[in-house]
Amino acid sequence: MRHRSTPLSVTFGGAVLLGAAVAMGTVFVRYDADTPRFDILGALALSGLLAVGWVLAVRAAPAVPRLASAAPQEAIPGRLAGVRRDWGWIGAVYLAVWAPYAAARAAYGKGGSLLASALCLVTLLFGLALSAFAMGLLTDQLEKPQRLLRQDAAAGRVHAVRVRVGGMVRQDYRQPSKASVGQVDTINSYWIELTADGGTRPVQFRTMDGSSFRIRTGDKHVRDAAAQLDGHAGWLCWPTRWKEIAATDEQREMPAAFVVDTGHVVWGMTCEADWQPWLRGGRAPVRGTDAALSAAPMARPSRYAPGAHDRSLLFVAGAALVAAPFLLGLVSGALAGLVGAVSGGLALYSGLRLVYPDNVTRFMDPELWTLRQESHPSLR
């Protein structure tokens, strides 16, 4: 069950990130301080207590409500808002990528072994490289195809058809592994089924795929909006310049925007089998947009995923406990460097799990999402 994001949960979540930032900042500002480092340990302990408060605040928050019903809108807004930047996500990502360097530097202290100094250098370069890569989180959260659709809407014309939300589907697809003979991989995917007027099959409104930090924000966009859209109707829009995308996109996916009658917009993708009949078949006519109307982004629920985040928080606690020996001055030299490497690696892994839990689809609300299990023909 997805919970609403409340002022209390936001306050606790922000305080957790702030506490972790203070602990890391103390490492950088007082890198040559004597052990024991109770300043760092105190900040970490406070962050741990605040994390417990964050979990309790989220669990006590009400479930995400369905959007209130709205009358059908004849006009299509010309101004379509993008995906909101997730500042909590951004803060957590940067803390995670700098955690290995902070651990290595704290383990090095006033002077350490060759191993410890090498770890400091490697983790510093690692943090700088990933920080530059994560700068995409601060830019437009829409990919180029989505931006083209938004430009077409602003210019006054899009291909559009009336649709209604028919259901939310989560699929587990089993296929032979490409990495090892005899192994089977399970690919998790999810989409919203949109039933179009005159359509012979529902259109699968899928999430924006990708592997960069920036795309991961958009990857959650459809999932976060789903609980609020049950039963709603609106316009499914494609770009007027769709041929420019279809001619170059190897995946043959087409950007789409679901403009809900409530005045909101959700961004996603449609696969070739879904957009072909409407665009190549000419069943989705070009319609004018109204520049005086705008569609707002959907409200974001709490990012907490029960089960997934609980385990990730345990990993974070483990990283802090592993760091305790060198923060207390109980180990030094090469051993401190080794312990620092373990602590930093564990912190990085747990931090990235927090911002994007592994197999998060397994923790999606079963009352909202219908599970479908499919297999490759060779496995049937």
Side-chain angles (χ1 to χ4, degrees):
M1 177 185 297
R2 299 307 300 274
H3 294 269
R4 291 180 60 182
S5 181
T6 64
L8 183 62
S9 64
V10 170
T11 300
F12 269 112
V16 172
L17 295 178
L18 180 60
V22 168
M24 292 177 60
T26 303
V27 174
F28 303 143
V29 174
R30 303 183 65 234
Y31 62 89
D32 58 349
D34 292 327
T35 55
R37 296 299 305 270
F38 291 119
D39 50 352
I40 301 175
L41 288 169
L44 292 176
L46 180 59
S47 290
L49 292 175
L50 291 169
V52 174
W54 175 63
V55 172
L56 295 177
V58 172
R59 287 182 174 271
V64 175
R66 176 182 177 275
L67 288 174
S69 300
Q73 301 297 311
E74 296 297 328
I76 302 174
R79 291 177 291 164
L80 304 180
V83 179
R84 282 196 179 103
R85 290 177 180 82
D86 190 336
W87 294 107
W89 170 285
I90 294 171
V93 165
Y94 275 96
L95 287 173
V97 300
W98 281 104
Y101 176 70
R105 196 66 192 82
Y108 187 84
K110 285 187 174 181
S113 65
L114 183 62
L115 171 64
S117 61
L119 281 173
C120 286
L121 178 60
V122 170
T123 53
L124 174 62
L125 296 176
F126 175 83
L128 290 172
L130 277 189
S131 292
F133 183 61
M135 286 294 289
L137 286 167
L138 303 175
T139 63
D140 194 331
Q141 298 303 298
L142 298 179
E143 275 287 89
K144 184 177 179 180
Q146 278 77 25
R147 294 199 299 270
L148 185 143
L149 170 55
R150 186 165 60 174
Q151 292 166 4
D152 285 350
R157 299 196 314 160
V158 293
H159 287 276
V161 62
R162 290 288 299 177
V163 294
R164 179 173 293 277
V165 175
M168 290 74 173
V169 178
R170 196 203 92 188
Q171 183 185 71
D172 292 345
Y173 185 79
R174 299 173 67 252
Q175 65 179 23
S177 174
K178 297 180 181 179
S180 178
V181 178
Q183 298 295 317
V184 176
D185 292 334
T186 300
I187 299 176
N188 307 121
S189 60
Y190 53 91
W191 62 82
I192 298 176
E193 289 191 335
L194 301 177
T195 303
D197 295 341
T200 56
R201 61 189 292 268
V203 175
Q204 295 179 1
F205 188 75
R206 294 176 172 269
T207 183
M208 294 178 283
D209 296 323
S211 58
S212 71
F213 289 134
R214 180 162 64 91
I215 302 303
R216 287 305 184 197
T217 303
D219 183 52
K220 302 180 297 179
H221 181 58
V222 170
R223 187 186 76 236
D224 289 349
Q228 305 172 65
L229 295 175
D230 189 25
H232 278 279
W235 292 98
L236 178 60
C237 303
W238 289 284
T240 53
R241 292 176 286 175
W242 62 270
K243 290 183 179 179
E244 298 180 15
I245 300 173
T248 59
D249 185 3
E250 294 180 357
Q251 299 298 322
R252 295 294 188 268
E253 291 183 324
M254 190 62 58
F258 178 34
V259 183
V260 194
D261 289 335
T262 57
H264 297 86
V265 60
V266 184
W267 295 92
M269 301 292 290
T270 52
C271 61
E272 188 174 19
D274 287 325
W275 63 259
Q276 280 264 22
W278 296 99
L279 297 180
R280 292 199 188 278
R283 293 164 57 190
V286 174
R287 300 180 185 272
T289 60
D290 188 343
L293 299 178
S294 61
M298 303 286 293
R300 182 182 291 118
S302 168
R303 61 178 54 83
Y304 172 75
H309 278 125
D310 291 343
R311 278 187 271 181
S312 296
L313 288 172
L314 290 177
F315 279 108
V316 174
L321 290 176
V322 172
F326 59 79
L327 291 176
L328 291 172
L330 302 178
V331 295
S332 60
L335 182 57
L338 179 61
V339 176
V342 174
S343 175
L346 191 58
L348 173 66
Y349 173 71
S350 55
L352 293 180
R353 275 182 58 95
L354 275 172
V355 295
Y356 192 77
D358 293 337
N359 298 318
V360 71
T361 52
R362 296 182 182 179
F363 303 97
M364 295 165 75
D365 186 356
E367 296 181 359
L368 181 65
W369 296 86
T370 300
L371 174 62
R372 293 179 186 172
Q373 295 179 325
E374 300 287 343
S375 298
H376 188 273
S378 63
L379 299 177
R380 294 173 185 168

